[in-house]
Amino acid sequence: MSQLSFFSADLTPPRVEDLGGLLAGHGQISAGPDGARLSILLGQEWRAKALVREFRVRDVSAEVLPAAEALSGGLLDPAEDGTDGGVLLRSERSSALTELARAWTRGAVKSVPPGLSAGAGLLRCWTLAAGRHDDAGFLLGLDRHAPDTYEPLASVCARAGLAGALIGARGGGPALRIVGHRRHERLVELLGTPPPEAPAGAFPLPDH
């Protein structure tokens, strides 16, 4: 068994800023007088269970609702993809998330914070929210409603040793595709141990 890196998500202290990984994907955040709320529609329930844990270790409560229930209750936009299945994960409205909302928005538009770094915690949350394998490598999903975030997020990953190729909807995206043994091992090193809910093969593992 390889030794864990000091930069692994297993060893780095959790920070609220790490939840920005959901916003690197297709998550949304809204701010109000009572604090901010972070939410994301997920196609697989295991992702929601794993992310609830990531919220909890950062002292933020979150709940999981069937997408159909969220839609009927007015908690989900009918235009969102996948409302016929999946789940809605949403945090409590919390002042702890206010700075995250401020960092990731410009007006009402999602924007990558200046100076963002792809730390282990952020990458883990991003992978849990929108990461998956394909035939060519590993995809970190992007928000189809926020194309201006693609290039900045690609640059953030490149600085972390995870240079990838941006792919569009025809290629299975929008997503950042990470390929190559060295980059794969770097990703594995940063992400840490797969969550127990993850199906076999869903989370990056060391090559053997």
Side-chain angles (χ1 to χ4, degrees):
M1 181 179 295
S2 60
Q3 185 176 358
L4 285 174
S5 164
F6 286 114
F7 299 104
S8 166
D10 291 337
L11 298 176
T12 55
R15 305 180 308 156
V16 171
E17 293 89 340
D18 299 336
L19 298 175
L22 280 71
L23 298 170
H26 56 286
Q28 303 296 321
I29 195 164
S30 61
D34 298 327
R37 169 171 283 154
L38 181 56
S39 61
I40 190 168
L41 183 66
L42 300 164
Q44 297 88 30
E45 193 170 352
W46 74 264
R47 295 182 185 273
K49 290 180 178 179
L51 283 168
V52 165
R53 185 183 303 108
E54 298 296 332
F55 276 88
R56 188 169 58 245
V57 299
R58 292 166 176 84
D59 296 322
V60 179
S61 297
E63 63 178 345
V64 181
L65 299 171
E69 179 181 327
L71 180 61
S72 64
L75 303 175
L76 195 60
D77 187 337
E80 287 291 339
D81 291 341
T83 53
D84 56 342
V87 296
L88 174 70
L89 169 67
R90 68 171 191 166
S91 76
E92 64 178 349
R93 192 167 289 280
S94 172
S95 60
L97 297 172
T98 298
E99 183 56 38
L100 186 71
R102 185 179 296 117
W104 277 88
T105 53
R106 296 292 178 272
V109 179
K110 187 191 293 189
S111 178
V112 177
L116 180 71
S117 61
L122 184 140
L123 283 166
R124 183 177 178 87
C125 289
W126 188 1
T127 297
L128 291 173
R132 60 184 174 88
H133 290 281
D134 74 354
D135 292 340
F138 193 80
L139 303 182
L140 290 170
L142 298 165
D143 189 344
R144 64 186 180 88
H145 298 298
D148 289 345
T149 64
Y150 300 173
E151 290 286 351
L153 286 170
S155 297
V156 166
C157 286
R159 291 195 296 271
L162 298 171
L166 289 170
I167 61 171
R170 290 185 179 181
L176 180 69
R177 177 184 281 138
I178 298 170
V179 298
H181 174 77
R182 180 176 294 179
R183 294 183 187 120
H184 176 83
E185 291 300 299
R186 173 65 172 160
L187 182 62
V188 169
E189 173 188 46
L190 289 169
L191 293 181
T193 306
E197 300 87 356
F203 209 76
L205 295 171
D207 290 336
H208 295 292

